[in-house]
Amino acid sequence: MGSVQIVTTILAAGITAVAVWLAVRAVMKMTAVIRLGQPAPERFTDKGARTKKMLVETAGHTRMLKWGVVGAAHWFVMVGFVVLSLLVLEAYFEVVTPTGGLPIIGHWTIFGLATEVIGVLGLVGILVLMAIRLRNRPTRPGGRSRFTGSTMWQGYFVEWIVLLVLIFGFVIRGFKVATDHFEYPVWATPVSHAVGAVLPDWQDGASVAALIKIIISMTWLIVISLNVTMGVAWHRFLAFPNIFFKREPAKPAGSGLGALRPMMSQGKPLDFEEADPEKDQFGVAQVEQFTWKGLLDFSTCTECGRCQSQCPAWNTGKPLSPKLLVLSLRDHAYAKAPYLLAGGGKDLTGEEKATQAQLAHLDVLALAEADKPLIGTAEEGGVIDPDVLWSCTTCGACVEQCPVDIEHVDHIVDMRRYQVLIESSFPSEAGVMLRNLENKGNPWGAPQNTREDWTKGLDFEVPRVGEVDDFEYLFWVGCAGAFEDRAKKTTRAVATLLNEAGVKFAILGEGETCSGDPARRIGNEFVFQMLAQQNVETLNEAFEGREKAKRKIVATCPHCFNTLGNEYGQLGGEFEVVHHTQLLAHLVSTGKLTPVQPVDGGVTYHDPCYLGRHNRIFAAPREVLGDSIEGEITEMPRNSERSFCCGAGGARMWMEEKIGKRINVDRVEEAMATGAKTVAVGCPFCSTMLNDGVNGKGAGEQVEVIDVASVLLRSVKPEQPRGDKESAPVAG
């Protein structure tokens, strides 16, 4: 060992010792903060499925590759980070001797070839990612960026570290080539040989370059260890457990889509019959009341902004960004952590749990952070502004796009639950809807004895459950389908088509009440459970004696479809629920319904969030439309899993949209830009919102918004009237 190698070895050992010590300290701090969260025992079930999903999503990059070039570039960088860590390890042998290398595999030609290819692709990948970040920098002219609000220096820092580590990997090899100490042939490592051709014959070059590589790598580790909220770096490690512990690993997309997480207290679903607000947790009022998985979510956020770029609220000038919400919760959790770890915190009655002695040594900033309300205006010092909380439509675009499976919607609704149930703080106009649900069983407040009025004038009898026992499907009409004029046309169209196809179905009539979706999404779990339990009892009675496979329900409203199929199981209601477009597609494909008259004028289809993104039903409505129209469906730029929300979900149907551009107008403009004369929908909420948007644009005579079922009915029975365009707006 020469004098240069003595120096390089000592320096490498010194900086590594410091970096490892800081990293261990950082990991212990992060672990302590995450463990402050509430129990989530359900996250430990089905370890086999969880492991498989984690490997598929990380190694396969299934979420990232949906973004094309950026996904491929990130995959190469990720593989480079994992595999080329071996070359960082090899650098420790090279600082000791310039001819050093990894034991055993370090001399295999296949290892040299693999690391060469990965190094080159990693270089290309990181340069692409750097170009993308620069092109989409928040300060660029031309509008908002998905990186707006991200800590940009951290992103630049990480990217430059990756680039320099990759470059110095080739420099080390180049010096070995130049000094004739390189063990791999030219065909396996052409880039390394090309670099070596321009480097001098410096015997200590490999050791010095290896030291620089180690210093760069350890500088990265030191910086991230001193910044535990640096998600752009820490996600490299935290993504694996965060994906592993996702809510439903068997789901094909984001596990936070579909059913909401039940309202929990101490790791158990809350039973309202026995619940006590002084002993049981009602929603989330303090950051430590999120589960440990929620705190892991916040820590894992990469600040990539994909959620932000897809969010309908953010894209229409509202204060909600799913990314910024998560970052605010993350920063608050870590700033408050010293207070919590010292024994501080409020019990459910608002009393301080710590003694003065426990809090005496704390930094004043931690104490100030502890006093911040989780939900509050800027004047109140709140972590999350109320306008942010209530802007969410629960469309799930954020959950769909998140590459590390953060469950934004669950966290938002948990905070809403506390605001509604304990603080009685929510947009005032939604109060009418909640009172109507409690008193009338529907959000419009319509009399229950008018639930069957939609059947009047049909040229066939609509059977009721109880009057007939021999039915294949229970037709869940829904509140909109029973009371709202536009939706009643869809209800009549579906009933007519089912009758035409010879499908045996029955309705509950006055026995049906609201599914509870608006109550649950706004945060009123009490009203949801009241309605849901009533419906579960009614449905169980209607299907008495039938196995689950024969307890079939068809629903026209995706919100009812989602609630009945995905959430009633939490309350003992197990049913096979299909959306009407699925059933109609089946009836057409089996020849029970035959379109005879194509509908012309061009059709575009709007994917409802709770049908498409939340439940992955994209094909069925398109199949129905494809059989019913002349020509191809004209797709909007944002379609399928990236469909843009109509603005009505998350109980927003009953709240005024006072900030920014109206979401439905944004969507209508996109639909009208296709040139299609018909905008087909599969949801009564979407129908209302898009109709209002079209009328607001003064295009009611040029563009028609109707349900897929109505399009099919016109094709199956051309004698049906075509002047069904609705003009009267519905309050919402």
Side-chain angles (χ1 to χ4, degrees):
M1 180 185 290
S3 58
V4 171
Q5 282 70 42
I6 292 173
V7 173
T8 56
T9 301
I10 292 172
L11 291 175
I15 193 170
T16 300
V18 172
V20 169
W21 177 73
L22 289 173
V24 170
R25 190 182 70 166
V27 169
M28 290 176 65
K29 180 178 180 179
M30 294 177 78
T31 303
V33 171
I34 291 167
R35 291 183 66 184
L36 288 168
Q38 300 302 304
E42 72 279 5
R43 305 286 180 167
F44 294 92
T45 59
D46 207 354
K47 292 182 176 61
R50 293 182 180 280
T51 302
K52 179 181 177 182
K53 178 63 73 171
M54 183 264 291
L55 292 173
V56 167
E57 287 198 16
T58 53
H61 249 44
T62 52
R63 307 291 286 278
M64 287 290 294
L65 287 175
K66 292 179 180 180
W67 286 74
V69 172
V70 67
H74 191 277
W75 187 85
F76 288 128
V77 172
M78 181 201 74
V79 172
F81 176 80
V82 174
V83 175
L84 299 183
S85 295
L86 291 172
L87 297 187
V88 175
L89 177 61
E90 187 175 52
Y92 285 93
F93 293 91
E94 291 161 340
V95 295
V96 176
T97 171
T99 61
L102 284 176
I104 306 175
I105 65 171
H107 301 285
W108 295 353
T109 299
I110 188 65
F111 176 74
L113 173 63
T115 50
E116 184 89 354
V117 171
I118 292 170
V120 171
L121 293 176
L123 272 172
V124 173
I126 196 61
L127 289 171
V128 168
L129 294 181
M130 292 172 81
I132 290 171
R133 187 177 294 272
L134 286 169
R135 189 184 66 196
N136 292 284
R137 65 192 184 280
T139 55
R140 84 196 194 291
R144 288 180 167 185
S145 160
R146 66 183 174 94
F147 292 117
T148 299
S150 297
T151 314
M152 294 301 288
W153 76 263
Q154 295 179 353
Y156 293 135
F157 172 79
V158 168
E159 287 167 347
W160 273 102
I161 288 290
V162 172
L163 179 64
L164 290 172
V165 166
L166 289 168
I167 288 173
F168 273 90
F170 285 108
V171 171
I172 294 169
R173 287 184 162 190
F175 274 120
K176 286 186 173 182
V177 170
T179 56
D180 201 25
H181 294 310
F182 199 49
E183 54 268 85
Y184 307 123
V186 175
W187 68 265
T189 55
V191 176
S192 297
H193 279 272
V195 172
V198 299
L199 290 178
D201 181 4
W202 182 25
Q203 292 296 322
D204 296 324
S207 294
V208 173
L211 172 64
I212 295 172
K213 183 175 181 177
I214 290 170
I215 290 173
I216 293 169
S217 300
M218 292 304 107
T219 297
W220 174 79
L221 188 56
I222 289 169
V223 170
I224 73 167
S225 297
L226 295 174
N227 293 272
V228 291
T229 59
M230 195 171 174
V232 70
W234 282 106
H235 83 274
R236 297 177 179 211
F237 310 107
L238 298 178
F240 297 97
N242 207 55
I243 295 171
F244 179 87
F245 289 116
K246 68 192 297 183
R247 181 144 59 84
E248 295 181 61
K251 293 188 74 168
S255 69
L257 294 171
L260 277 175
R261 186 170 175 270
M263 195 161 160
M264 309 287 280
S265 180
Q266 294 300 312
K268 298 178 182 178
L270 196 65
D271 183 348
F272 276 96
E273 292 184 2
E274 300 178 0
D276 181 351
E278 294 188 0
K279 297 178 181 177
D280 295 300
Q281 183 178 315
F282 279 56
V284 169
Q286 304 290 336
V287 72
E288 65 272 20
Q289 291 178 348
F290 287 106
T291 66
W292 61 262
K293 174 56 170 63
L295 296 177
L296 179 60
D297 270 359
F298 309 152
S299 303
T300 308
C301 180
T302 72
E303 303 190 25
C304 65
R306 287 176 181 80
C307 58
Q308 181 170 288
S309 71
Q310 301 297 297
C311 177
W314 177 258
N315 277 287
T316 53
K318 296 168 182 64
L320 169 64
S321 155
K323 177 188 72 177
L324 298 180
L325 178 138
V326 166
L327 297 187
S328 296
L329 293 170
R330 178 198 68 189
D331 293 345
H332 173 59
Y334 280 88
K336 188 178 179 180
Y339 160 77
L340 296 171
L341 293 170
K346 303 289 196 302
D347 63 22
L348 294 173
T349 64
E351 295 296 320
E352 176 60 59
K353 292 186 287 187
T355 64
Q356 284 295 110
Q358 287 176 298
L359 303 180
H361 69 285
L362 286 181
D363 185 85
V364 66
L365 294 178
L367 291 172
E369 196 72 30
D371 286 335
K372 287 185 176 180
L374 190 65
I375 307 298
T377 62
E379 293 76 14
E380 295 166 337
V383 178
I384 304 297
D385 192 278
D387 284 335
V388 169
L389 187 67
W390 297 110
S391 291
C392 180
T393 67
T394 69
C395 72
C398 49
V399 178
E400 169 76 36
Q401 294 300 331
C402 182
V404 293
D405 281 300
I406 292 171
E407 297 160 8
H408 313 73
V409 173
D410 281 340
H411 304 320
I412 288 171
V413 173
D414 270 341
M415 289 186 285
R416 284 183 172 187
R417 284 166 169 166
Y418 181 84
Q419 293 300 304
V420 172
L421 294 171
I422 302 300
E423 297 291 336
S424 296
S425 177
F426 51 88
S428 57
E429 60 270 21
V432 176
M433 177 268 291
L434 290 173
R435 286 193 296 274
N436 285 337
L437 287 177
E438 288 191 74
N439 300 325
K440 299 289 187 178
N442 69 85
W444 282 277
Q448 185 71 357
N449 60 11
T450 62
R451 262 195 187 269
E452 299 180 36
D453 284 1
W454 65 270
T455 64
K456 294 177 181 177
L458 292 173
D459 57 6
F460 58 92
E461 188 70 24
V462 177
R464 280 76 174 165
V465 172
E467 297 176 3
V468 292
D469 295 322
D470 184 22
F471 62 90
E472 183 180 3
Y473 287 94
L474 188 152
F475 182 13
W476 182 272
V477 176
C479 299
F483 300 122
E484 199 267 305
D485 289 340
R486 296 184 182 106
K488 281 197 280 189
K489 290 182 172 65
T490 301
T491 307
R492 291 164 65 87
V494 171
T496 301
L497 289 165
L498 295 182
N499 182 68
E500 184 80 9
V503 175
K504 294 181 179 179
F505 71 96
I507 62 171
L508 289 173
E510 294 183 27
E512 183 183 304
T513 191
C514 180
S515 68
D517 165 84
R520 186 167 229 198
R521 264 69 197 172
I522 203 173
N524 197 325
E525 187 75 3
F526 176 78
V527 171
F528 164 73
Q529 290 202 20
M530 177 186 73
L531 295 168
Q533 287 168 352
Q534 179 180 335
N535 282 326
V536 166
E537 185 177 336
T538 301
L539 290 168
N540 283 340
E541 184 178 335
F543 289 121
E544 189 173 4
R546 298 193 190 191
E547 59 190 61
K548 181 181 177 180
K550 294 183 178 179
R551 296 156 68 92
K552 297 180 181 179
I553 299 173
V554 58
T556 58
C557 174
H559 297 265
C560 295
F561 163 76
N562 179 70
T563 303
L564 270 64
N566 294 328
E567 298 184 336
Y568 275 18
Q570 298 170 0
L571 300 168
E574 298 290 339
F575 313 108
E576 289 291 330
V577 187
V578 298
H579 189 252
H580 71 285
T581 58
Q582 293 177 291
L583 181 53
L584 295 179
H586 171 72
L587 295 175
V588 171
S589 67
T590 55
K592 293 182 179 179
L593 288 174
T594 305
V596 295
Q597 178 68 52
V599 176
D600 57 11
V603 174
T604 189
Y605 174 64
H606 164 78
D607 288 274
C609 300
Y610 273 82
L611 184 65
R613 237 187 325 270
H614 279 276
N615 286 284
R616 321 309 296 171
I617 298 172
F618 303 116
R622 288 175 169 80
E623 290 169 4
V624 174
L625 291 172
D627 290 320
S628 307
I629 66 174
E630 197 167 45
E632 297 293 321
I633 299 171
T634 305
E635 294 283 7
M636 288 181 257
R638 296 177 291 192
N639 65 76
S640 301
E641 68 268 12
R642 292 196 191 178
S643 179
F644 196 70
C645 183
C646 74
R652 290 290 325 170
M653 180 84 167
W654 290 274
M655 297 183 230
E656 290 297 328
E657 198 169 343
K658 301 173 183 177
I659 304 173
K661 184 179 182 180
R662 293 183 69 87
I663 294 172
N664 62 332
V665 171
D666 191 295
R667 186 57 165 170
V668 160
E669 289 174 351
E670 185 175 5
M672 292 174 62
T674 66
K677 300 302 181 186
T678 300
V679 180
V681 298
C683 171
F685 288 7
C686 296
S687 176
T688 294
M689 300 301 284
L690 298 188
N691 261 298
D692 288 353
V694 166
N695 291 332
K697 299 289 290 185
E701 295 301 316
Q702 293 80 43
V703 178
E704 182 178 19
V705 180
I706 58 171
D707 191 87
V708 170
S710 295
V711 177
L712 178 61
L713 182 60
R714 290 179 184 179
S715 182
V716 170
K717 302 183 74 172
E719 71 277 8
Q720 289 292 311
R722 290 176 174 268
D724 284 353
K725 286 190 280 189
E726 303 87 355
S727 57
V730 174

